[in-house]
Amino acid sequence: MDTYAKMQSFSTEWTFVAKFKYDLPVERRVTLTYQKPNRYRVVLTTGKGTAKVGETMSIWSDGTSETEYYTWVNWGTSLPSPDSISHSESNCMLNGTLCASPLYQFFNGADNIDGLVDSDKQPITLGHRERMPNGEQALRVNFYCQKTFGHTQVLIGEQSGLVYRILYDLDPIVQVEKKEDPLEDRKRYESLAAHATDPKEKRQLQLLLAHFDDPDRLRGSWEQYFKNSTTSPNISRMDFKPNLPVGVKVHDGFGLGNGRTTQLEVEMVFACLMALFFGVFLFIGVFLFIYRLRNKNT
């Protein structure tokens, strides 16, 4: 971890593959550009297995504010930059199925071991060695990761200290999903299978339904394969300035789903209240019209 803590700047990219027992794998590509301590740019691009290939999710932190932008909904949110990349509270940077990675905790060094490892759930153990394509020997390190990553294995170069691969299973999320109503869950998948137009997708959904009672059906393997990891002394501060399409409105506040109210959520609630308000008046108006019409006829 201290290898990353000593870096003044760094860039890398990883292929992100999610594999499931009865479902199609999902692929994404993520790039990271980092400058110590709290400037970074993270870009996720959707790949195979996603509803739409080529969509992007971007996060910029310029040391003052952190901005998220999603191309598929064409809106953004902004919040104050954290003091470190490992302390980001944005929706994307906390989500283990999106831009989140245990790698971010490495930038705070060995003193941040408790930010990476939940030793109450599982002690750190060392596994087998693997030889990397560049010839370096790398060691597997196994532990239970903090946040939502769950059981995790990190492959670390013995000479360079660089991370080559991270595997995790999102165990906390799986445990929550197991507590959900299985009947409602089955109905949802039955509906998806009934309305699926892609033959391959339909077969996969039918396969999942056929093994719905398998307790391991929810488990998956989330794999991050790192390459082109390098210190980048020529990084410009302009790399961390948000690059948003013209006309996109950025809403102040914390990302959706983090338990904090955003300006966007306020506007959505206001719109719903206004729709309800006018709906009630419309109902009253129709009721009075019918009432008067009946009285007139009698």
Side-chain angles (χ1 to χ4, degrees):
M1 295 177 74
D2 286 338
T3 297
Y4 288 88
K6 294 175 183 176
M7 293 177 177
Q8 296 301 311
S9 58
F10 178 73
S11 64
T12 189
E13 61 181 276
W14 62 90
T15 302
F16 183 19
V17 183
K19 298 178 181 178
F20 308 96
K21 193 170 183 179
Y22 301 115
D23 208 350
L24 293 172
V26 177
E27 293 185 13
R28 300 183 176 97
R29 177 177 172 268
V30 182
T31 62
L32 165 68
T33 305
Y34 167 80
Q35 192 175 70
K36 193 174 182 176
N38 61 349
R39 293 188 179 92
Y40 48 87
R41 182 183 71 235
V42 182
V43 180
L44 176 147
T45 305
T46 59
K48 295 178 181 177
T50 55
K52 196 170 183 180
V53 176
E55 296 282 6
T56 61
M57 174 182 289
S58 305
I59 301 93
W60 300 268
S61 173
D62 61 5
T64 302
S65 62
E66 184 185 61
T67 304
E68 288 184 356
Y69 172 68
Y70 310 79
T71 57
W72 55 86
V73 291
N74 201 35
W75 59 262
T77 60
S78 180
L79 62 157
S81 289
D83 59 2
S84 167
I85 188 173
S86 63
H87 296 152
S88 174
E89 293 190 13
S90 74
N91 188 48
C92 180
M93 295 288 279
L94 290 174
N95 193 325
T97 68
L98 299 175
C99 300
S101 175
L103 180 72
Y104 303 146
Q105 300 301 320
F106 281 66
F107 290 101
N108 277 8
D111 290 342
N112 186 44
I113 190 68
D114 290 338
L116 176 67
V117 178
D118 187 342
S119 56
D120 292 335
K121 296 283 183 65
Q122 177 186 315
I124 298 174
T125 60
L126 303 180
H128 297 294
R129 287 178 169 82
E130 296 182 31
R131 186 171 293 279
M132 297 295 95
N134 62 5
E136 182 178 15
Q137 286 275 18
L139 182 65
R140 298 177 186 174
V141 183
N142 307 295
F143 55 91
Y144 196 95
C145 194
Q146 296 281 11
K147 303 186 186 295
T148 61
F149 297 106
H151 302 96
T152 301
Q153 180 190 99
V154 180
L155 186 63
I156 304 175
E158 292 187 320
Q159 286 76 44
S160 67
L162 294 176
V163 172
Y164 286 97
R165 184 184 69 220
I166 299 178
L167 312 178
Y168 54 88
D169 64 359
L170 294 178
D171 181 62
I173 295 177
V174 172
Q175 298 307 322
V176 171
E177 289 181 345
K178 282 184 175 180
K179 295 177 183 178
E180 294 181 355
D181 186 349
L183 182 59
E184 288 299 318
D185 210 20
R186 182 188 288 272
K187 287 180 179 179
R188 181 167 61 87
Y189 279 104
E190 287 175 345
S191 176
L192 289 171
H195 295 91
T197 56
D198 181 84
K200 194 173 184 179
E201 180 186 2
K202 194 178 189 73
R203 285 195 300 270
Q204 287 300 133
L205 288 166
Q206 290 171 341
L207 177 64
L208 191 149
L209 283 166
H211 297 86
F212 199 81
D213 295 327
D214 184 344
D216 289 330
R217 67 180 177 81
L218 295 172
R219 289 204 174 274
S221 172
W222 304 81
E223 307 172 0
Q224 299 179 346
Y225 297 90
F226 296 83
K227 63 179 182 179
N228 300 329
S229 297
T230 180
T231 56
S232 306
N234 296 322
I235 293 175
S236 167
R237 290 193 176 189
M238 294 305 297
D239 291 332
F240 308 110
K241 292 294 182 182
N243 183 20
L244 300 172
V246 176
V248 171
K249 185 177 181 181
V250 177
H251 302 270
D252 294 333
F254 288 77
L256 292 173
N258 283 315
R260 295 179 172 91
T261 303
T262 69
Q263 180 64 28
L264 176 62
E265 289 172 300
V266 171
E267 292 178 6
M268 290 171 63
V269 171
F270 179 75
C272 290
L273 289 174
M274 291 301 293
L276 179 62
F277 177 79
F278 286 111
V280 169
F281 270 83
L282 179 63
F283 174 79
I284 293 173
V286 171
F287 176 80
L288 290 175
F289 174 77
I290 295 174
Y291 177 79
R292 289 174 179 172
L293 185 63
R294 285 181 176 176
N295 286 344
K296 185 177 180 180
N297 292 334
T298 55

